[in-house]
Every structure is written in structure tokens, then in C-alpha cells.
Amino acid sequence: MLTVEQVLATNKANVETLFGLTGKAFEGVEKLVELNLAASRALLAESASQTQTVLNAKDPQELLALQSGLLQPLSEKAASYSREIYDIAAVTSAEFGKTFEAQIAEAQKKFLDVVDSTSQNAPAGSETAVALMKSAVAAANNVLETAQKSAKQAAALAESNFKAATATVEAGKATAKKR
């Protein structure tokens, strides 16, 4: 049976966890805002510079040469921007994942403690029901662990796909520079 102190301690821990997660979420948002501000500043400065360059073109051939030269850095910057967004999201997601895993482990431990204390105080002849309850708890834990492993594998696969796409873009840039 849970005591008032245990309930209060659990609620206090949950509130602390909530504030910790909220802080991590705000850190991620702050990083995204900083990234977007820096990208906007750079884009504005480059646009002004490129406009001046285009306005100073003396003939249509020079204008065409400038136009093709302006598009390549844009794709590189877009790829870099995407990488930075992915990195911010991955770090924030990892922090949330660690917290949730710790919370789940703690909840499982507390639940198993309740099951154990209940089984010790169970009336004679209820051993089968207690064993069935423990078996159900173990099965639920296995399902949860499998789901966590699957989620981690999916995240690793997504990261590997993102890195492969980034490597392809980098290879394309290298090939374009050789030409």
C-alpha cells in the first residue's frame, strides 16, 4: 500500500522531471531560433551581395555565368542547414529518450515492489494468482523493452539514412567542383 509520503515524493519527482523536459525543449527551440536567425542574416547579406554582382554584369553571357555560379552554394547551404536542424532534433530527442527510459524503469521497479509486497501479504492458496500476475508483469516488461529497442533501431536507421543522403550530397559537390 502506498503511503502519503510515497505519493508526495512521486509527484515531486514527476514535477521535477516535467520541468527538466520543458527546459530541454526550450533549449532545442532556442537553438532552432538561433540557427534560423543566423541563416536569415546570412541569406540577407548574400542576397544583397549577389544583387550587386548581378547589377554590375556587363553583358548577358556574364549574367548567365553568374547565375549558374550562384545556385551551387545555395544547395550546399541548404544541406548544411538541414544537417544542423537534424543535429538539434537528434540531441533534444535523445535527452527526452533518456528521461523517459529512466522514468519507465523507475515505474517498473515500483510496480514490481508493489506486486512483491502484495504477494507476500496474499492469503494462503493464492499462489497461482500471484504467479499469474508476476508472469503478466514480466510479459508486459518484455513487450516494453522490445518496443524501446525497435524505436532505437528505427532512430538509428533514420540517422544512417540521413548520413547516407548527406554523403551523397557531399559526393555530388565534390564531383561538381572537379568539373
Side-chain angles (χ1 to χ4, degrees), residues 79 82-84 86-87 157-167:
S82 295
R83 261 191 315 276
E84 290 185 49
Y86 176 81
D87 289 344
L157 180 62
E159 183 175 356
S160 127
N161 288 342
F162 184 81
K163 287 181 179 178
T166 301

Side-chain angles (χ1 to χ4, degrees), residues 18 27 46 127 134 137 153:
L18 174 65
E27 287 175 18
E46 287 177 32
E127 293 82 16
K134 285 184 177 183
V137 169
Q153 287 173 346

Side-chain angles (χ1 to χ4, degrees), residues 131-161:
L132 183 62
M133 188 171 169
K134 285 184 177 183
S135 175
V137 169
N141 284 341
N142 287 338
V143 168
L144 186 59
E145 287 175 13
T146 302
Q148 287 175 335
K149 287 178 185 175
S150 295
K152 285 181 181 179
Q153 287 173 346
L157 180 62
E159 183 175 356
S160 127
N161 288 342

Side-chain angles (χ1 to χ4, degrees), residues 26-106:
F26 275 113
E27 287 175 18
V29 170
E30 284 175 353
K31 289 176 183 177
L32 286 173
V33 168
E34 289 172 7
L35 174 64
N36 286 329
L37 283 173
S40 296
R41 280 189 193 114
L43 182 63
L44 184 61
E46 287 177 32
S47 293
S49 172
Q50 291 172 356
T51 301
Q52 281 299 94
T53 304
V54 168
L55 290 174
N56 290 333
K58 295 179 180 139
D59 57 39
Q61 290 174 343
E62 184 179 348
L63 187 58
L64 286 174
L66 286 173
Q67 184 180 9
S68 65
L70 297 176
L71 293 178
Q72 172 119 16
L74 184 60
S75 66
E76 293 172 8
K77 287 181 176 116
S80 174
Y81 178 77
S82 295
R83 261 191 315 276
E84 290 185 49
I85 286 178
Y86 176 81
D87 289 344
I88 291 168
V91 167
T92 303
S93 176
E95 291 292 330
F96 272 71
K98 286 179 198 172
T99 301
F100 287 135
E101 285 179 13
Q103 288 292 314
I104 289 170
E106 183 64 25

Side-chain angles (χ1 to χ4, degrees), residues 115-135:
V115 169
D116 285 342
S117 69
T118 302
S119 66
Q120 290 173 358
N121 298 325
S126 61
E127 293 82 16
T128 304
V130 169
L132 183 62
M133 188 171 169
K134 285 184 177 183
S135 175

